[in-house]
Amino acid sequence: MSSQNRTGSRRIKITSITGLALAGALVLTGCSPEVEKGWLPTERGTTNHTDRIMDLWVNSWIAALAVGIITWGLLVWCIIAYRRRKGTTGFPKQLSYNLPLEVFYLTIPLFMVLVFFYFTDQDQRAIDDRSQPADVVVDVRGKQWAWDFNYKKGEVINEDLHEAGVQAHLTGAEVNKELLPTLYLPVGKSVDLELNSRDVIHSFWVPAFLQKRDMIPGKTNYIRFTPTKEGTFDGKCAELCGEYHSEMLFRVKVVSETEFQAHMEKLRQDGNTGLLGAEYDRNPNLNETK
Protein backbone atom coordinates (compact mmCIF):
# COMPACT_ATOMS: atom_id res chain seq x y z
CA MET A 1 0.00 0.00 0.00
CA SER A 2 2.83 2.43 0.85
CA SER A 3 4.40 1.83 -2.57
CA GLN A 4 1.10 2.61 -4.28
CA ASN A 5 0.66 5.76 -2.19
CA ARG A 6 4.15 6.96 -3.08
CA THR A 7 3.47 6.33 -6.79
CA GLY A 8 0.17 8.20 -6.64
CA SER A 9 1.75 11.08 -4.73
CA ARG A 10 4.55 11.30 -7.30
CA ARG A 11 2.04 11.42 -10.16
CA ILE A 12 0.09 14.20 -8.51
CA LYS A 13 3.31 16.14 -7.89
CA ILE A 14 4.42 15.74 -11.53
CA THR A 15 0.99 16.84 -12.75
CA SER A 16 1.03 19.89 -10.47
CA ILE A 17 4.52 20.91 -11.59
CA THR A 18 3.56 20.48 -15.25
CA GLY A 19 0.45 22.60 -14.75
CA LEU A 20 2.41 25.36 -13.02
CA ALA A 21 5.03 25.29 -15.79
CA LEU A 22 2.36 25.66 -18.48
CA ALA A 23 0.67 28.51 -16.59
CA GLY A 24 4.05 30.23 -16.14
CA ALA A 25 4.80 29.87 -19.84
CA LEU A 26 1.46 31.50 -20.69
CA VAL A 27 2.17 34.39 -18.31
CA LEU A 28 5.65 34.93 -19.74
CA THR A 29 4.51 34.81 -23.37
CA GLY A 30 1.82 37.35 -22.47
CA CYS A 31 4.60 39.94 -22.17
CA SER A 32 5.35 39.83 -25.92
CA PRO A 33 3.70 42.47 -28.16
CA GLU A 34 2.31 39.80 -30.47
CA VAL A 35 0.45 38.09 -27.64
CA GLU A 36 -0.75 41.39 -26.15
CA LYS A 37 -2.48 42.25 -29.44
CA GLY A 38 -3.66 38.68 -30.05
CA TRP A 39 -1.52 38.27 -33.17
CA LEU A 40 -3.81 40.73 -34.96
CA PRO A 41 -2.36 42.46 -38.07
CA THR A 42 -2.33 46.00 -36.70
CA GLU A 43 -1.25 48.30 -33.88
CA ARG A 44 -3.29 50.04 -31.23
CA GLY A 45 -4.60 53.46 -32.23
CA THR A 46 -4.81 52.86 -35.99
CA THR A 47 -8.48 53.87 -35.96
CA ASN A 48 -10.89 54.82 -33.21
CA HIS A 49 -12.17 51.21 -33.23
CA THR A 50 -9.01 49.10 -33.33
CA ASP A 51 -8.40 49.27 -29.56
CA ARG A 52 -11.98 48.21 -28.81
CA ILE A 53 -11.86 45.31 -31.29
CA MET A 54 -8.43 44.23 -30.07
CA ASP A 55 -9.54 44.26 -26.41
CA LEU A 56 -12.66 42.22 -27.20
CA TRP A 57 -10.58 39.67 -29.13
CA VAL A 58 -7.80 39.31 -26.55
CA ASN A 59 -10.14 39.24 -23.53
CA SER A 60 -12.32 36.61 -25.22
CA TRP A 61 -9.27 34.42 -25.69
CA ILE A 62 -8.16 34.97 -22.08
CA ALA A 63 -11.62 33.90 -20.86
CA ALA A 64 -11.59 30.87 -23.18
CA LEU A 65 -8.11 29.85 -22.01
CA ALA A 66 -9.11 30.24 -18.36
CA VAL A 67 -12.13 27.99 -18.88
CA GLY A 68 -9.94 25.53 -20.81
CA ILE A 69 -7.30 25.39 -18.08
CA ILE A 70 -9.94 24.80 -15.38
CA THR A 71 -11.62 22.12 -17.50
CA TRP A 72 -8.36 20.36 -18.33
CA GLY A 73 -7.31 20.55 -14.66
CA LEU A 74 -10.57 18.96 -13.51
CA LEU A 75 -10.26 16.23 -16.14
CA VAL A 76 -6.71 15.38 -15.02
CA TRP A 77 -7.79 15.47 -11.38
CA CYS A 78 -10.70 13.09 -12.06
CA ILE A 79 -8.42 10.73 -14.00
CA ILE A 80 -5.95 10.60 -11.11
CA ALA A 81 -8.34 10.73 -8.14
CA TYR A 82 -10.84 8.22 -9.46
CA ARG A 83 -8.54 5.88 -11.33
CA ARG A 84 -9.01 2.18 -10.82
CA ARG A 85 -6.65 1.01 -8.09
CA LYS A 86 -4.76 -2.23 -8.19
CA GLY A 87 -6.73 -5.00 -6.55
CA THR A 88 -10.09 -3.25 -6.93
CA THR A 89 -12.94 -5.57 -7.91
CA GLY A 90 -16.36 -4.74 -9.29
CA PHE A 91 -17.68 -1.33 -10.22
CA PRO A 92 -17.78 1.85 -8.10
CA LYS A 93 -21.07 3.12 -6.78
CA GLN A 94 -23.28 4.18 -9.69
CA LEU A 95 -25.33 7.39 -9.52
CA SER A 96 -28.34 8.03 -11.76
CA TYR A 97 -28.12 11.80 -11.36
CA ASN A 98 -26.60 14.62 -9.34
CA LEU A 99 -28.92 17.61 -9.28
CA PRO A 100 -26.45 20.23 -7.93
CA LEU A 101 -23.86 19.18 -10.50
CA GLU A 102 -26.38 19.29 -13.36
CA VAL A 103 -27.56 22.76 -12.31
CA PHE A 104 -23.91 23.86 -12.22
CA TYR A 105 -23.29 22.46 -15.74
CA LEU A 106 -26.35 24.37 -17.01
CA THR A 107 -25.92 27.75 -15.31
CA ILE A 108 -22.17 28.27 -15.82
CA PRO A 109 -22.19 27.80 -19.64
CA LEU A 110 -25.36 29.92 -19.88
CA PHE A 111 -23.71 32.68 -17.83
CA MET A 112 -20.61 32.53 -20.07
CA VAL A 113 -22.66 32.79 -23.26
CA LEU A 114 -24.63 35.76 -21.88
CA VAL A 115 -21.42 37.56 -20.86
CA PHE A 116 -19.86 37.02 -24.29
CA PHE A 117 -23.08 38.18 -25.96
CA TYR A 118 -23.28 41.32 -23.81
CA PHE A 119 -19.75 42.54 -24.52
CA THR A 120 -19.91 41.60 -28.21
CA ASP A 121 -23.25 43.38 -28.68
CA GLN A 122 -22.00 46.43 -26.76
CA ASP A 123 -18.90 46.75 -28.94
CA GLN A 124 -20.75 46.04 -32.18
CA ARG A 125 -23.29 48.76 -31.46
CA ALA A 126 -20.51 51.26 -30.74
CA ILE A 127 -18.58 50.30 -33.89
CA ASP A 128 -21.64 50.52 -36.17
CA ASP A 129 -23.05 53.72 -34.61
CA ARG A 130 -23.92 56.16 -37.42
CA SER A 131 -26.23 58.42 -35.41
CA GLN A 132 -24.07 61.48 -36.19
CA PRO A 133 -23.16 62.59 -39.75
CA ALA A 134 -19.62 61.76 -40.84
CA ASP A 135 -17.07 64.38 -41.89
CA VAL A 136 -16.15 62.43 -45.04
CA VAL A 137 -18.42 60.18 -47.11
CA VAL A 138 -16.94 57.91 -49.78
CA ASP A 139 -18.99 55.68 -52.05
CA VAL A 140 -16.72 52.66 -52.58
CA ARG A 141 -17.69 50.51 -55.58
CA GLY A 142 -16.15 47.08 -56.01
CA LYS A 143 -15.98 45.72 -59.54
CA GLN A 144 -14.35 42.79 -61.28
CA TRP A 145 -11.51 43.27 -60.39
CA ALA A 146 -10.75 46.75 -59.10
CA TRP A 147 -12.27 49.62 -57.13
CA ASP A 148 -13.89 52.99 -57.79
CA PHE A 149 -13.84 55.67 -55.09
CA ASN A 150 -16.51 58.40 -55.15
CA TYR A 151 -15.73 61.28 -52.77
CA LYS A 152 -19.05 62.94 -51.95
CA LYS A 153 -19.49 66.64 -51.32
CA GLY A 154 -19.82 67.40 -47.62
CA GLU A 155 -18.17 68.91 -44.58
CA VAL A 156 -14.59 68.39 -45.80
CA ILE A 157 -15.02 67.85 -49.57
CA ASN A 158 -16.20 70.83 -51.60
CA GLU A 159 -17.62 68.98 -54.61
CA ASP A 160 -18.28 65.46 -55.87
CA LEU A 161 -15.11 63.81 -57.17
CA HIS A 162 -14.23 60.31 -58.29
CA GLU A 163 -11.24 58.09 -58.89
CA ALA A 164 -11.57 54.99 -61.11
CA GLY A 165 -9.23 52.15 -60.17
CA VAL A 166 -7.45 49.76 -62.49
CA GLN A 167 -6.97 46.07 -61.76
CA ALA A 168 -3.58 44.92 -60.53
CA HIS A 169 -1.70 42.44 -62.74
CA LEU A 170 0.19 39.75 -60.86
CA THR A 171 3.05 38.40 -62.96
CA GLY A 172 5.20 36.86 -60.26
CA ALA A 173 7.24 40.04 -59.91
CA GLU A 174 6.85 42.44 -56.99
CA VAL A 175 3.66 44.49 -57.29
CA ASN A 176 4.09 48.21 -57.93
CA LYS A 177 1.79 49.44 -55.17
CA GLU A 178 1.89 52.99 -56.52
CA LEU A 179 -0.32 51.80 -59.40
CA LEU A 180 -2.97 50.22 -57.17
CA PRO A 181 -6.32 51.95 -56.61
CA THR A 182 -5.78 54.19 -53.57
CA LEU A 183 -8.37 55.56 -51.19
CA TYR A 184 -7.30 58.82 -49.52
CA LEU A 185 -8.65 59.67 -46.07
CA PRO A 186 -7.86 62.62 -43.75
CA VAL A 187 -6.55 61.69 -40.32
CA GLY A 188 -8.78 62.55 -37.38
CA LYS A 189 -11.94 62.93 -39.48
CA SER A 190 -14.89 60.56 -39.16
CA VAL A 191 -15.45 58.56 -42.34
CA ASP A 192 -18.51 56.80 -43.76
CA LEU A 193 -17.69 54.20 -46.40
CA GLU A 194 -20.74 53.34 -48.48
CA LEU A 195 -19.95 49.87 -49.79
CA ASN A 196 -21.54 48.89 -53.10
CA SER A 197 -20.84 46.27 -55.75
CA ARG A 198 -21.04 46.84 -59.49
CA ASP A 199 -21.45 43.16 -60.37
CA VAL A 200 -20.95 40.19 -57.99
CA ILE A 201 -20.40 39.90 -54.23
CA HIS A 202 -17.12 41.43 -53.09
CA SER A 203 -15.79 42.18 -49.62
CA PHE A 204 -13.97 45.33 -48.50
CA TRP A 205 -11.11 44.46 -46.14
CA VAL A 206 -8.26 46.51 -44.71
CA PRO A 207 -6.58 44.14 -42.22
CA ALA A 208 -4.98 47.00 -40.25
CA PHE A 209 -8.44 48.49 -39.55
CA LEU A 210 -9.80 45.15 -38.21
CA GLN A 211 -13.05 45.71 -40.09
CA LYS A 212 -14.39 43.79 -43.07
CA ARG A 213 -17.79 43.98 -44.71
CA ASP A 214 -19.40 42.39 -47.75
CA MET A 215 -20.42 44.36 -50.82
CA ILE A 216 -23.64 42.92 -52.23
CA PRO A 217 -25.22 43.94 -55.57
CA GLY A 218 -28.29 46.10 -54.99
CA LYS A 219 -27.55 46.65 -51.28
CA THR A 220 -25.43 49.32 -49.58
CA ASN A 221 -23.44 48.33 -46.49
CA TYR A 222 -21.53 50.79 -44.33
CA ILE A 223 -18.32 51.03 -42.36
CA ARG A 224 -17.93 54.00 -39.99
CA PHE A 225 -14.59 54.82 -38.37
CA THR A 226 -12.13 57.62 -37.71
CA PRO A 227 -8.53 57.01 -38.85
CA THR A 228 -6.25 58.20 -36.06
CA LYS A 229 -2.82 57.34 -37.40
CA GLU A 230 -1.24 58.48 -40.67
CA GLY A 231 0.16 55.81 -42.93
CA THR A 232 -0.44 53.59 -45.95
CA PHE A 233 -2.43 50.40 -45.42
CA ASP A 234 -2.96 47.46 -47.77
CA GLY A 235 -6.45 46.29 -48.64
CA LYS A 236 -7.98 43.53 -50.69
CA CYS A 237 -11.22 41.87 -51.66
CA ALA A 238 -11.95 39.11 -49.13
CA GLU A 239 -14.69 37.32 -51.10
CA LEU A 240 -13.95 34.95 -53.98
CA CYS A 241 -15.39 36.98 -56.86
CA GLY A 242 -14.11 35.33 -60.02
CA GLU A 243 -11.04 34.43 -62.00
CA TYR A 244 -8.86 37.39 -61.02
CA HIS A 245 -10.03 37.76 -57.41
CA SER A 246 -6.42 37.72 -56.16
CA GLU A 247 -5.66 40.80 -58.27
CA MET A 248 -8.38 42.91 -56.65
CA LEU A 249 -5.97 44.88 -54.47
CA PHE A 250 -6.03 48.46 -53.21
CA ARG A 251 -4.44 50.76 -50.65
CA VAL A 252 -5.68 53.27 -48.12
CA LYS A 253 -3.59 56.38 -47.47
CA VAL A 254 -4.39 58.20 -44.25
CA VAL A 255 -2.89 61.67 -44.60
CA SER A 256 -3.11 65.13 -43.09
CA GLU A 257 -6.07 67.26 -44.12
CA THR A 258 -3.72 69.50 -46.15
CA GLU A 259 -2.45 66.53 -48.15
CA PHE A 260 -5.98 65.21 -48.51
CA GLN A 261 -7.21 68.52 -49.95
CA ALA A 262 -4.21 68.56 -52.29
CA HIS A 263 -5.26 65.16 -53.63
CA MET A 264 -8.84 66.37 -54.07
CA GLU A 265 -7.51 69.36 -56.00
CA LYS A 266 -5.48 67.04 -58.23
CA LEU A 267 -8.59 65.02 -59.01
CA ARG A 268 -10.39 68.26 -59.83
CA GLN A 269 -7.61 69.39 -62.18
CA ASP A 270 -7.57 65.98 -63.86
CA GLY A 271 -11.26 66.36 -64.66
CA ASN A 272 -12.48 63.69 -62.24
CA THR A 273 -15.51 65.70 -61.17
CA GLY A 274 -18.87 64.09 -60.50
CA LEU A 275 -19.54 60.54 -59.32
CA LEU A 276 -19.20 57.20 -61.06
CA GLY A 277 -22.47 55.95 -59.63
CA ALA A 278 -24.90 53.13 -60.16
CA GLU A 279 -25.17 53.84 -63.88
CA TYR A 280 -21.96 51.82 -64.32
CA ASP A 281 -23.19 48.86 -62.28
CA ARG A 282 -24.08 45.55 -63.88
CA ASN A 283 -25.49 42.28 -62.62
CA PRO A 284 -24.41 39.27 -64.69
CA ASN A 285 -27.08 37.10 -63.01
CA LEU A 286 -30.00 39.43 -63.72
CA ASN A 287 -31.90 39.09 -66.99
CA GLU A 288 -34.05 42.16 -67.48
CA THR A 289 -37.12 41.98 -69.66
CA LYS A 290 -37.61 45.04 -71.81
Side-chain angles (χ1 to χ4, degrees):
M1 289 295 291
S2 60
S3 176
Q4 290 180 3
N5 289 337
R6 284 197 300 271
T7 303
S9 176
R10 189 158 52 256
R11 285 177 180 171
I12 293 173
K13 186 179 295 184
I14 292 172
T15 303
S16 301
I17 293 172
T18 303
L20 288 172
L22 288 173
L26 286 173
V27 171
L28 289 174
T29 55
C31 298
S32 68
E34 289 76 12
V35 174
E36 287 180 0
K37 65 180 184 180
W39 288 280
L40 293 173
T42 190
E43 303 293 336
R44 299 185 74 87
T46 302
T47 76
N48 64 321
H49 294 322
T50 50
D51 288 7
R52 179 186 291 271
I53 297 171
M54 195 177 295
D55 290 341
L56 177 64
W57 171 262
V58 172
N59 291 333
S60 297
W61 273 109
I62 290 173
L65 281 173
V67 172
I69 290 171
I70 293 172
T71 304
W72 298 328
L74 290 173
L75 285 172
V76 171
W77 178 75
C78 287
I79 292 171
I80 295 174
Y82 298 105
R83 72 190 185 281
R84 187 179 184 86
R85 266 71 172 185
K86 186 178 180 180
T88 303
T89 58
F91 295 100
K93 182 182 179 181
Q94 304 296 298
L95 300 176
S96 59
Y97 67 91
N98 187 314
L99 186 58
L101 194 60
E102 290 175 8
V103 171
F104 175 81
Y105 284 159
L106 175 65
T107 55
I108 294 303
L110 181 61
F111 172 76
M112 291 168 55
V113 170
L114 290 175
V115 169
F116 275 118
F117 175 81
Y118 170 78
F119 284 107
T120 301
D121 179 68
Q122 173 183 265
D123 289 342
Q124 185 173 329
R125 288 176 182 273
I127 290 168
D128 290 337
D129 180 26
R130 299 177 55 248
S131 58
Q132 300 298 322
D135 298 323
V136 175
V137 179
V138 184
D139 174 12
V140 179
R141 302 236 164 204
K143 59 185 181 182
Q144 293 178 314
W145 286 272
W147 307 82
D148 293 339
F149 303 122
N150 291 308
Y151 300 91
K152 292 188 171 183
K153 181 180 178 180
E155 185 73 22
V156 176
I157 303 170
N158 296 325
E159 63 176 304
D160 291 338
L161 298 165
H162 69 264
E163 194 161 9
V166 179
Q167 174 187 342
H169 294 287
L170 304 181
T171 61
E174 186 176 353
V175 177
N176 184 356
K177 293 186 177 182
E178 295 300 322
L179 300 179
L180 294 179
T182 302
L183 172 64
Y184 278 74
L185 298 175
V187 68
K189 299 292 184 181
S190 59
V191 177
D192 241 353
L193 298 183
E194 300 177 349
L195 305 177
N196 296 286
S197 171
R198 294 202 183 281
D199 35 52
V200 300
I201 296 177
H202 300 287
S203 188
F204 182 92
W205 185 32
V206 181
F209 294 169
L210 301 182
Q211 290 182 261
K212 175 171 71 70
R213 194 144 294 178
D214 285 349
M215 310 169 79
I216 301 171
K219 174 180 174 60
T220 301
N221 284 330
Y222 298 88
I223 290 180
R224 165 70 67 88
F225 65 95
T226 301
T228 53
K229 181 182 294 184
E230 294 187 26
T232 302
F233 306 95
D234 293 331
K236 62 180 72 176
C237 174
E239 182 74 29
L240 183 60
C241 56
E243 184 177 5
Y244 298 104
H245 159 70
S246 62
E247 299 184 5
M248 196 167 169
L249 307 174
F250 69 99
R251 295 197 305 170
V252 177
K253 280 192 173 185
V254 179
V255 297
S256 65
E257 186 170 356
T258 301
E259 189 173 345
F260 177 78
Q261 292 296 350
H263 184 69
M264 294 298 102
E265 181 60 31
K266 183 178 183 301
L267 292 179
R268 196 174 296 110
Q269 292 176 357
D270 291 343
N272 293 353
T273 55
L275 305 177
L276 298 177
E279 64 275 13
Y280 292 96
D281 294 353
R282 64 180 181 86
N283 189 335
N285 299 316
L286 180 64
N287 296 318
E288 295 183 358
T289 303
K290 299 294 184 181

